[in-house]
Amino acid sequence: MGPSRFDTVHHAEPDSFRQMLSEFAADKSPKKISLAGGMFWDEEGKIAKMDVVEKATKQLGPHIWERHGYLPTQGHASFIRQAQNLVFSEQLVQSCLSGIGPRLTSFQTVGGTGANHLGTLFLARNLRPRRVWIPHQTWEGHSRLWQRASDFGSRGQEALELRFYPYHDATNNCLDFQGMIGVLEQESEPDDILLLHACAHNPTGIDPSREQWEAIANFCSARNIFPFFDMAYQGFASGSFDDDAWAIRHFVHGGHELCVAQTFSKSMFLYGERLGALHLVTGSTDAAARAQSQLSRLQRDGISSPPAFGANVASEIMSNPELRGEWQREVGMIHKRVMTIRKALVEELTRLGTPGEWDYIEKQVGMFTCTNLTLEQIDLLKTRYHIYVRHSGRLSIAALANRAAVTYVATALDTVVRETSKSHRCRVTIPGLGPRDISLKTSAADALPSQS
Ligand code: PMP
């Protein structure tokens, strides 16, 4: 073939996560284990299924094929109503006096990524904020999606600026609350957007306490900041859907306008079905109607209408009190299982006497734990033990399916930490983020705020 009109197209930057997945798939070792992804695995190493999802799918039986026509642009009506109740509670949505129902507009989306995508596009175009504040660290999609949205919704010549606020105190393995509020107080301005993880923060597993949430809500009111909640793990932080939604409901009670990006990928193990929702709470019913018309336009142009299968199943579960109860119990059990794995990993590392502090793994919540592993250690884990860890040092606790996997990973961690413990660490100051301890053989994620 001769030259192509696409010869001048540049290669896009490779996606390191996708590359790691391909490497993992090509790895022939029977010992291989991926701690990189965000899915649950059963004891036999297969993708885990939820009993209640199987039951609801069976219950729908042949009806599922009667319901696979195109959904409306906004999505499956019953699913949307139930998804709203899950986030905000039925009482908050429907109460006659203080209910947000008429001021709430919601769209079914293509998973949590689609919810973030729709939300960022809508806000960039319609609020035209000067800046968005993103936690360091965070789910890597946030920077990409906000960057993309900023290309669509510029304020004339002024591009939307992505700024990072301190979140993870890597030295003490806790929330850097003072750093967070300090930077926001000094550098944010009215009408900025503040991105917050509603619960089970990815990747750190560290959430603000209720008092800290109250302080964040007060700060947003005082500075007139727009909060954008991403809620990918409802139920995984505490085992209770309601407790995990506390922060969002607190903001709503405080009269905030806000957005919530929600996904059922994790809370129903519906990963590939791509089921999520975007909710927008506005200050008036008129604003909700206007916003709804704009969101409708974006949704119609982007995907026309969302996928039906997952919405049918989720709606069946959430609208049937018996199944809804079973689902809550199952998520509660998953939460317990994750806490048990965390405990087992800490016990094993303590038994081995692995250098360093590991107790924090037990204090964190949700699927992930954020370690200070260096690039050198991560590389050794892969080449010698066929254990795949993301460059950010994030481990998926949910991937440790059984006791043997915990022992294998702990032993590997013990060896690589001992071997490399002479690697020097030093303190650097990252502009806007303050001091950080990093290894001289550092990972890109230690140095760059936008990695997850
Ligand atoms: N937000 C956060 C915080 C996440 O962790 C994830 C998934 N890892 C998503 C959004 C994307 O969700 P989904 O897989 O449903 O697109």
Side-chain angles (χ1 to χ4, degrees):
M1 284 292 286
S4 161
R5 69 181 73 236
F6 298 107
D7 282 340
T8 52
V9 173
H10 295 294
H11 271 288
E13 217 179 290
D15 180 328
S16 61
F17 179 50
R18 295 283 149 198
Q19 272 181 332
M20 186 174 279
L21 289 184
S22 316
E23 266 184 78
F24 181 73
D27 188 335
K28 297 279 183 293
S29 169
K31 292 185 196 148
K32 71 177 180 177
I33 171 163
S34 171
L35 304 180
M39 289 197 294
F40 273 85
W41 302 88
D42 65 16
E43 294 260 329
E44 288 155 29
K46 296 196 196 115
I47 296 173
K49 287 180 285 200
M50 274 197 191
D51 291 342
V52 72
V53 171
E54 270 198 309
K55 193 166 168 184
T57 312
K58 272 200 196 114
Q59 223 158 282
L60 280 169
H63 301 301
I64 202 96
W65 299 112
E66 289 158 18
R67 299 184 194 177
H68 74 150
Y70 289 123
L71 290 177
T73 297
Q74 198 164 353
H76 189 298
S78 155
F79 160 75
I80 291 173
R81 221 170 19 255
Q82 299 301 333
Q84 290 176 332
N85 291 342
L86 190 69
V87 175
F88 301 102
S89 81
E90 199 169 339
Q91 196 195 9
L92 201 52
V93 175
Q94 272 147 33
S95 132
C96 315
L97 288 175
S98 55
I100 52 168
R103 297 186 285 113
L104 174 62
T105 180
S106 304
F107 279 71
Q108 185 188 328
T109 59
V110 181
T113 306
N116 277 280
H117 179 61
L118 186 61
T120 54
L121 273 187
F122 168 75
L123 293 173
R125 279 192 183 177
N126 294 284
L127 285 191
R128 300 196 300 133
R130 209 179 285 275
R131 307 181 189 81
V132 55
W133 290 93
I134 298 174
H136 171 61
Q137 304 181 20
T138 193
W139 172 57
E140 65 187 3
H142 287 143
S143 318
R144 282 206 310 264
L145 291 169
W146 276 105
Q147 191 56 58
R148 214 174 116 118
S150 80
D151 299 340
F152 282 95
S154 69
R155 308 164 56 93
Q157 295 307 308
E158 256 179 281
L160 188 159
E161 197 187 345
L162 274 64
R163 298 285 299 271
F164 295 87
Y165 64 84
Y167 191 86
H168 185 215
D169 174 345
T171 311
N172 301 305
N173 279 303
C174 61
L175 175 64
D176 184 2
F177 186 68
Q178 295 308 329
M180 169 183 179
I181 289 292
V183 164
L184 291 173
E185 267 181 353
Q186 272 175 23
E187 298 178 36
S188 70
E189 284 180 27
D191 300 326
D192 284 356
I193 290 175
L194 178 61
L195 181 72
L196 297 158
H197 293 229
C199 61
H201 180 275
N202 173 9
T204 66
I206 300 168
D207 292 333
S209 66
R210 289 197 175 175
E211 292 72 34
Q212 288 168 337
W213 275 124
E214 281 164 4
I216 297 167
N218 290 342
F219 169 76
C220 288
S221 296
R223 186 64 56 92
N224 199 18
I225 300 277
F226 183 87
F228 187 128
F229 284 93
D230 192 0
M231 180 145 73
Y233 303 97
Q234 191 174 0
F236 285 14
S238 67
S240 150
F241 292 131
D242 289 330
D243 287 349
D244 283 4
W246 187 88
I248 293 175
R249 294 176 192 175
H250 175 75
F251 273 69
V252 171
H253 281 298
H256 293 258
E257 296 192 301
L258 54 84
C259 249
V260 181
Q262 178 188 27
T263 176
F264 290 78
S265 297
K266 321 288 173 167
S267 60
M268 282 194 185
F269 294 176
L270 280 175
Y271 314 105
E273 301 306 336
R274 315 308 293 126
L275 184 65
L278 175 75
H279 308 281
L280 174 70
V281 179
T282 54
S284 71
T285 45
D286 186 41
R290 289 163 197 268
Q292 169 140 351
S293 72
Q294 290 294 342
L295 282 162
S296 214
R297 201 62 263 171
L298 286 171
Q299 174 99 317
R300 181 95 175 105
D301 295 348
I303 61 168
S304 188
S305 75
F309 182 87
N312 279 318
V313 174
S315 159
E316 183 76 5
I317 293 171
M318 293 192 290
S319 58
N320 174 328
E322 201 182 309
L323 293 182
R324 172 74 165 70
E326 275 182 42
W327 180 41
Q328 170 63 92
R329 279 192 292 284
E330 216 168 330
V331 168
M333 274 155 51
I334 290 161
H335 166 256
K336 277 210 185 91
R337 198 187 124 203
V338 170
M339 296 318 279
T340 308
I341 301 171
R342 286 181 180 278
K343 190 163 186 282
L345 185 59
V346 173
E347 277 171 4
E348 195 58 20
L349 290 165
T350 309
R351 192 185 66 75
L352 293 166
T354 311
E357 291 282 326
W358 301 98
D359 291 358
Y360 66 86
I361 293 176
E362 236 181 307
K363 294 187 192 126
Q364 297 172 349
V365 292
M367 292 177 71
F368 305 113
T369 202
C370 203
T371 68
N372 290 331
L373 290 170
T374 62
L375 269 188
E376 183 193 15
Q377 291 166 338
I378 290 167
D379 196 51
L380 268 178
L381 285 171
K382 181 175 78 178
T383 50
R384 199 184 294 164
Y385 296 97
H386 307 270
I387 296 173
Y388 290 71
V389 174
R390 297 188 74 166
H391 285 166
S392 61
R394 184 189 86 171
L395 309 187
S396 172
I397 294 290
L400 296 171
N402 51 41
R403 188 78 217 191
V406 172
T407 310
Y408 180 64
V409 167
T411 310
L413 279 171
D414 182 65
T415 317
V416 301
V417 169
R418 279 179 200 283
E419 260 180 46
T420 55
S421 57
K422 290 193 190 72
S423 294
H424 301 292
R425 291 184 77 76
C426 71
R427 180 154 279 219
V428 296
T429 299
I430 301 172
L433 291 171
R436 287 287 176 278
D437 281 341
I438 62 163
S439 164
L440 285 180
K441 291 174 179 171
T442 192
S443 73
D446 274 337
L448 295 174
S450 59
Q451 298 287 313
S452 72

